[in-house]
Amino acid sequence: MEIKRNLYLDNIAGFFIMYMMIMHSCLFVKDDSYQIVGRFVYFFMPWFFYKGGAFFKEKGSEKEFVLTSFRRLIIPYIIVSLIGFLISLGICLHKGTSILDYLLSSIKTLVKTGTICGEVSHLWFLIGLFVSRLLLYYFNKYNFVFWGIICSIILIIFIFHLELTQIWYIFYSLTGFLYYGLGYMLREKQYTNSLFVISSLIYILSVIMPAYYDQHNSILYSGSFELALFYPIFACVFANNISKYFMNKKTIFCFISKYAMLLYVTHYPIMSLISRTGILNNVDIVWGVVLLNTSSFFVASLLVVIFKDRLKTIGL
């Protein structure tokens, strides 16, 4: 029996996945026009953590919970990392880089970022989500969720201002848990009129007086870090309420959302590989973006047709 899906959240998820893919394709063709939309959806990665927390459930024993989380998040991380590693290795060998130099560079990248090479740098999200799930599980088990969130806020601000962000995965795991934990705590309260009004006002303020940072590498792009850290919380509440009232119906974004995780883990290596061929040098920006995104959707569709049942077992 197919699980009944939440249409308005599916619409947001599908839209954000589509935006993220277009953003990455724009980066590959060296175009920054995505920033026009980005000013309004700067919170799209925190939203995925927030949404995950809102749907958090403790199923089965502790061992079952950990193994299920590992299967759904770490197994895809390992598989795609190996594929990205082989692609990157082939490119480096073609350029004349020695295997030893490449391995040392990959280990250094892995220790710093949590991902093994640039072709799979987007997989940081899976690590952050895995850690967030485990933290919430154990904090909730001992009724420590609220104080766990407070501690994470203190640690995040402390790490940022003392410039201790060299190990990226510590930072993005803590920020991930912050949004994940708040998604869990606010899953019902976020739809109250008072919180919606407050969140709407703060979201409007965030657009007028922007402050945003890269959750992946902790780079602050605009405004104060504290505002950049807290703005996404209110933006998530605002987006969920707006979508509930105006987007609670099936659209193309619902279909995209159904395969969101598969698109997420596969699109970047595909775009990176196409970019390495040099073909993007021979097409204009628009056609480059179209090529990268259609190729990503085509490969994802092919994987669904060939490996549908196996993909389900690992949460894709």
Side-chain angles (χ1 to χ4, degrees):
M1 183 177 70
E2 188 174 352
I3 298 173
K4 185 178 180 181
R5 300 184 66 90
N6 189 313
L7 295 181
Y8 64 91
L9 293 181
D10 274 354
N11 276 312
I12 302 178
F15 175 75
F16 281 164
I17 284 291
M18 193 70 250
Y19 166 75
M20 179 199 64
M21 291 176 65
I22 292 173
M23 178 190 75
H24 284 158
S25 60
C26 284
L27 292 175
F28 278 113
V29 300
K30 298 179 174 58
D31 177 63
D32 61 359
S33 57
Y34 70 90
Q35 293 181 4
I36 298 172
V37 178
R39 187 182 181 100
F40 299 93
V41 296
Y42 60 87
F43 59 97
F44 72 98
M45 286 311 299
W47 183 87
F48 282 107
F49 284 99
Y50 184 91
K51 179 203 172 193
F55 283 93
F56 175 83
K57 291 181 180 179
E58 299 177 26
K59 290 184 178 180
S61 64
E62 178 180 334
K63 181 180 179 181
E64 289 173 332
F65 178 85
V66 173
L67 288 177
T68 300
S69 298
F70 185 88
R71 174 173 56 83
R72 296 177 67 88
L73 296 171
I74 302 303
I75 294 300
Y77 165 86
I78 293 172
I79 293 172
V80 179
S81 291
L82 286 174
I83 295 172
F85 174 79
L86 293 175
I87 293 173
S88 184
L89 175 61
I91 293 169
C92 287
L93 290 177
H94 180 72
K95 291 181 177 180
T97 305
S98 71
I99 293 180
L100 179 60
D101 287 342
Y102 175 74
L103 289 176
L104 290 174
S105 175
S106 297
I107 292 171
K108 182 180 178 181
T109 302
L110 181 62
V111 170
K112 178 181 180 180
T113 68
T115 53
I116 200 164
C117 60
E119 279 70 20
V120 293
S121 59
H122 65 302
L123 296 182
W124 70 269
F125 173 71
L126 300 187
I127 297 295
L129 192 58
F130 178 72
V131 173
S132 298
R133 280 180 60 80
L134 293 187
L135 286 175
L136 183 57
Y137 178 86
Y138 288 109
F139 282 146
N140 193 49
K141 184 176 181 180
Y142 297 104
N143 297 316
F144 198 74
V145 176
F146 174 78
W147 291 109
I149 291 173
I150 296 299
C151 289
S152 71
I153 292 172
I154 294 171
L155 280 172
I156 291 166
I157 295 174
F158 178 81
I159 289 172
F160 179 83
H161 286 294
L162 290 184
E163 300 181 355
L164 302 175
T165 55
Q166 293 86 351
I167 306 299
W168 293 4
Y169 53 81
I170 295 176
F171 183 84
Y172 63 65
S173 293
L174 284 171
T175 55
F177 169 70
L178 167 63
Y179 302 125
Y180 196 89
L182 284 169
Y184 175 73
M185 292 190 68
L186 298 175
R187 52 187 169 180
E188 298 296 337
K189 296 177 182 178
Q190 65 178 317
Y191 298 111
T192 60
N193 291 335
S194 57
L195 188 53
F196 172 53
V197 171
I198 293 171
S199 297
S200 300
L201 294 174
I202 294 178
Y203 172 71
I204 293 171
L205 178 66
S206 73
V207 174
I208 298 172
M209 299 176 56
Y212 52 91
Y213 73 108
D214 191 324
Q215 190 180 356
H216 178 205
N217 56 26
S218 74
I219 294 176
L220 179 65
Y221 289 107
S222 175
S224 76
F225 175 70
E226 286 72 22
L227 284 177
L229 184 66
F230 291 115
Y231 270 164
I233 300 166
F234 298 98
C236 288
V237 174
F238 170 78
N240 286 356
N241 276 274
I242 290 296
S243 183
K244 184 177 182 180
Y245 290 119
F246 297 106
M247 297 178 65
N248 198 12
K249 57 185 178 181
K250 277 192 175 182
T251 69
I252 184 63
F253 296 123
C254 291
F255 176 77
I256 295 173
S257 174
K258 188 175 180 180
Y259 300 102
M261 186 61 83
L262 178 62
L263 287 167
Y264 183 86
V265 299
T266 59
H267 82 281
Y268 201 82
I270 294 166
M271 290 184 181
S272 179
L273 185 59
I274 293 173
S275 175
R276 296 281 192 176
T277 66
I279 193 173
L280 295 178
N281 298 327
N282 302 316
V283 296
D284 63 27
I285 290 173
V286 174
W287 283 111
V289 170
V290 171
L291 171 64
L292 291 172
N293 283 283
T294 53
S295 299
S296 297
F297 274 104
F298 174 76
V299 172
S301 301
L302 202 60
L303 290 172
V304 169
V305 172
I306 299 173
F307 302 111
K308 185 175 182 180
D309 294 331
R310 292 185 180 181
L311 291 172
K312 284 184 177 180
T313 62
I314 58 173
L316 296 178

